[in-house]
Amino acid sequence: MNKTQNNAPKDNAVSGRKAAKATIKSLIADLASKDGVVRVKARQQLVAYKKRSVAPLIRTLSNENDWVRWEAAKALSQIGNPESIQALLEALTDKKFEVRWLAAEGLIRIGRKAIVLLLEALVKHSDSYWLREGIHHVLHDINRGKIRKVLRPVLIALEGPEPSLEVPLAAQAALDALTKKV
């Protein structure tokens, strides 16, 4: 067997990754199209790429264009990859409600893997109304089973009269309870 034949599968894999990367880059650019059909098709294809499109979509969440951020948040929400937790958490403070909502939906889809980062964000940034609102939405929807007992005080604090004061304490207590169980 000659060297060319021996390297063929490796070369095909490399060229396949390069082609996928170029396609994803093109699809990301299509998220800025003025044509809604083009944007939807691009988002659907990005979702089909799953993990391979997560990093480019995360970068796209900081785009100046509102609908580009919306499309990126929607795609990440549909993919539900834990690698996007931090980016979706940051998107909970986006200036557009629709982007914040989709970020919360993505975190709900990811589920319990996001809880520790959500609680840590509440401890550090409880002064952000939008962040508290988004995290409340997420925790409310993933508050099932055994975790309910740990999250209930956090939800009560988020709904209370002084959330910016009460939430960090409740979130820290929940974090402490979760780390003791691990």
Side-chain angles (χ1 to χ4, degrees):
M1 188 183 305
N2 66 34
K3 284 186 177 184
T4 308
Q5 290 173 330
N6 194 20
N7 290 335
K10 184 178 176 183
D11 292 343
N12 287 340
V14 170
S15 66
R17 282 194 298 274
K18 286 182 181 178
K21 192 173 182 177
T23 301
I24 290 170
K25 186 175 181 177
S26 174
L27 292 169
I28 293 286
D30 285 348
L31 294 179
S33 173
K34 292 185 191 274
D35 184 340
V37 173
V38 170
R39 289 194 312 268
V40 169
K41 285 181 179 179
R43 176 176 27 90
Q44 289 171 340
Q45 289 178 312
L46 287 162
V47 169
Y49 273 101
K50 297 184 181 184
K51 183 178 168 113
R52 286 198 256 178
S53 65
V54 169
L57 284 165
I58 288 171
R59 289 189 295 275
T60 306
L61 275 177
S62 62
N63 192 289
E64 293 177 11
N65 186 312
D66 294 345
W67 73 60
V68 172
R69 289 192 320 279
W70 185 92
E71 292 288 359
K74 177 101 174 159
L76 287 168
S77 173
Q78 291 172 331
I79 294 169
N81 186 303
E83 291 177 19
S84 64
I85 293 172
Q86 188 61 46
L88 291 171
L89 183 58
E90 291 171 17
L92 291 178
T93 62
D94 193 276
K95 65 183 178 180
K96 296 298 283 183
F97 169 78
E98 296 84 357
V99 174
R100 296 192 309 268
W101 181 267
L102 287 169
E105 290 295 308
L107 290 164
I108 290 166
R109 183 178 186 125
I110 293 167
R112 292 182 180 203
K113 293 177 183 173
I115 290 176
V116 169
L117 287 175
L118 294 169
L119 293 172
E120 288 173 350
L122 286 175
V123 170
K124 295 175 187 168
H125 306 289
S126 67
D127 56 331
S128 170
Y129 173 79
W130 286 345
L131 183 70
R132 288 192 322 261
E133 180 181 71
I135 291 177
H136 178 273
H137 176 71
V138 176
L139 293 179
H140 180 271
D141 280 24
I142 61 176
N143 188 25
R144 309 270 185 263
K146 293 178 182 177
I147 198 80
R148 177 176 247 150
K149 185 177 180 181
V150 174
L151 295 181
R152 190 172 192 294
V154 179
L155 287 167
I156 290 170
L158 284 164
E159 296 164 0
E162 303 242 14
S164 61
L165 300 175
E166 295 173 14
V167 166
L169 298 173
Q172 186 61 57
L175 278 170
D176 293 345
L178 288 172
T179 56
K180 285 179 186 173
K181 291 181 180 180
V182 174

